[in-house]
C-alpha cells in the first residue's frame, strides 16, 4: 500500500489538501485526481502544488466507519446550540467548546486541525497556524461498494462525505481523542459535523451561512494525554476503514 498526499497553496495561504491510501496500480489515477482537485479549487489557482507518493512502512490497521446521522438544523444559531449539546455529552467543558467555536467559525483557516484539552480549553498542537493534518488513511478496497451502499441509502454518497467519514472514523479510533468538530471551509458547503465513538458521525446542516469562507477542525483531547503519541497516530499510523458484510 502507498500513501498519497496533496497540498496546494498560494504564498502562505492553504488552498486545498487531500490524502488517501492506494494500491500501487492505482497511484497514477489517484495522484491525477488530486492534481485535478488542486487545479480546480474554488479558492482559486494555487502557486504551488505538492504531491507526495510514499510506500507504507507498516501495514494498516482497520477500523469500522462511524454510524452516520443527519440532524435537523435550520440555522448557524441552532447549529451552535446542537454542537454544545453534543459536545457536553462527551464531557467537553463550556470553555473548551467556546474556544473550539472561535476556531471553526474563524475566517483564518488552517491546513490541519486544532487539538483542544476537553477541560481547560488550552490548544495543544505545536504549530497553531498549521494544526495537525490527519494522514495515512483510506478505505479498504473490499469496503468501497459497501460504504457507497450505506451512504447511497442516506442520499449522501459523495466523495466529500466519504472522505470526511473516513477521517472522522480514524480520529475517533485515536486513543485520547474524545470528539471532533468540523466545518468545511468551502463557501458552498454548509453541512458540518460532530463525531465521536459514542455519538457516531452527526451531520449538522446549515452550520454556517452559504458563502462564508470560515471553517476548521478541532479534536478534543482527554486531559493528561500524551500529545506526541496522539499526533503520531493521526499523522503516521496507517488506518483503513473497513465495512463488515
Ligand atoms: P474541509 O472539510 O476539507 O473543507 O476541511 C475543513 C477544515 O478541516 C480545513 O480548513 C482544515 O483546517 C481541516 N482539515 C482538512 N483536512 C484535514 C486533515 N486531513 N487533517 C486535519 N485537519 C484537516
Amino acid at each position: 500500500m502507498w500513501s498519497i498526499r496533496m497540498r496546494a497553496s498560494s504564498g502562505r495561504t492553504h488552498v486545498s489538501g487531500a490524502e488517501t491510501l492506494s494500491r500501487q496500480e492505482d497511484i497514477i489515477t489517484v495522484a491525477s485526481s488530486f492534481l485535478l482537485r488542486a487545479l480546480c479549487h474554488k479558492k482559486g489557482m494555487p502557486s504551488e502544488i505538492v504531491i507526495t507518493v510514499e510506500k507504507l512502512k507498516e501495514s494498516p490497521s482497520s477500523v469500522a466507519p462511524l454510524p452516520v446521522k443527519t440532524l435537523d438544523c435550520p440555522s448557524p444559531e441552532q447549529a451552535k446550540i446542537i454542537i454544545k449539546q453534543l459536545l457536553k455529552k462527551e464531557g467537553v467543558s463550556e470553555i473548551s467548546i467556546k474556544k473550539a467555536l472561535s476556531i471553526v467559525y474563524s475566517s483564518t483557516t488552517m491546513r490541519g486541525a486544532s487539538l483542544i484539552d476537553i477541560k481547560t480549553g488550552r490548544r495543544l498542537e505545536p504549530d497553531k497556524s498549521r494544526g495537525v493534518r490527519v494522514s495515512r488513511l483510506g478505505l479498504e478496497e473490499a469496503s468501497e461498494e459497501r460504504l457507497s451502499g450505506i451512504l447511497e441509502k442516506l442520499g449522501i454518497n459523495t466523495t466529500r462525505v466519504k472522505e470526511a467519514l473516513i477521517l472522522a472514523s480514524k480520529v475517533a479510533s485515536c486513543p485520547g481523542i474524545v470528539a471532533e468538530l468540523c466545518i468545511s471551509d468551502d463557501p458552498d458547503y454548509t453541512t458540518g459535523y460532530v463525531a465521536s465513538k459514542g455519538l457516531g458521525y452527526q451531520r449538522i446542516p446549515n452550520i454556517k451561512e452559504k458563502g462564508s469562507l470560515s471553517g476548521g477542525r478541532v479534536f478534543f483531547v482527554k486531559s493528561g494525554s500524551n500529545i506526541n503519541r496522539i499526533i503520531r497516530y493521526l499523522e503516521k499510523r496507517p488506518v483503513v476503514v473497513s465495512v463488515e458484510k
Side-chain angles (χ1 to χ4, degrees), residues 44-215:
M45 187 66 184
S47 57
E48 189 184 27
I49 302 167
V50 179
I51 295 190
T52 308
V53 179
E54 190 183 58
K55 193 166 186 175
L56 292 184
K57 293 183 189 77
E58 53 181 324
S59 50
S61 48
S62 50
V63 300
L66 293 172
V68 181
K69 184 176 173 188
T70 302
L71 304 173
D72 273 335
C73 176
S75 66
E77 290 67 42
Q78 186 62 28
K80 284 179 192 156
I81 295 170
I82 294 172
I83 291 167
K84 283 181 195 161
Q85 283 169 347
L86 291 173
L87 291 173
K88 270 189 186 163
K89 271 196 209 162
E90 291 303 282
V92 183
S93 72
E94 193 91 41
I95 190 169
S96 305
I97 296 174
K98 209 168 153 200
K99 184 85 206 173
L101 290 174
S102 75
I103 292 170
V104 294
Y105 281 101
S106 157
S107 51
T108 320
T109 52
M110 297 156 70
R111 240 180 85 200
S114 178
L115 299 179
I116 291 187
D117 183 297
I118 57 160
K119 281 217 175 79
T120 63
R122 212 160 65 83
R123 288 181 68 171
L124 305 167
E125 71 276 16
D127 182 340
K128 310 268 181 298
S129 56
R130 177 187 181 274
V132 175
R133 186 98 192 162
V134 186
S135 190
R136 295 173 175 82
L137 71 173
L139 180 60
E140 191 194 55
E141 208 198 335
S143 297
E144 264 166 41
E145 266 183 39
R146 282 178 229 146
L147 186 62
S148 291
I150 293 173
L151 297 177
E152 195 67 58
K153 276 195 199 134
L154 301 169
I156 48 171
N157 187 23
T158 62
T159 304
R160 185 194 294 274
V161 172
K162 240 183 236 164
E163 287 184 352
L165 178 60
I166 291 168
L167 187 146
S169 303
K170 175 172 177 181
V171 171
S173 75
C174 177
I177 295 190
V178 168
E180 175 187 355
L181 167 64
C182 171
I183 299 183
S184 172
D185 52 36
D186 181 333
D188 293 332
Y189 194 70
T190 58
T191 301
Y193 67 83
V194 170
S196 75
K197 251 194 201 145
L199 298 166
Y201 181 88
Q202 303 228 16
R203 303 175 71 240
I204 307 171
N206 301 306
I207 201 164
K208 69 173 188 178
E209 301 289 355
K210 207 166 170 70
S212 160
L213 288 167
S214 63

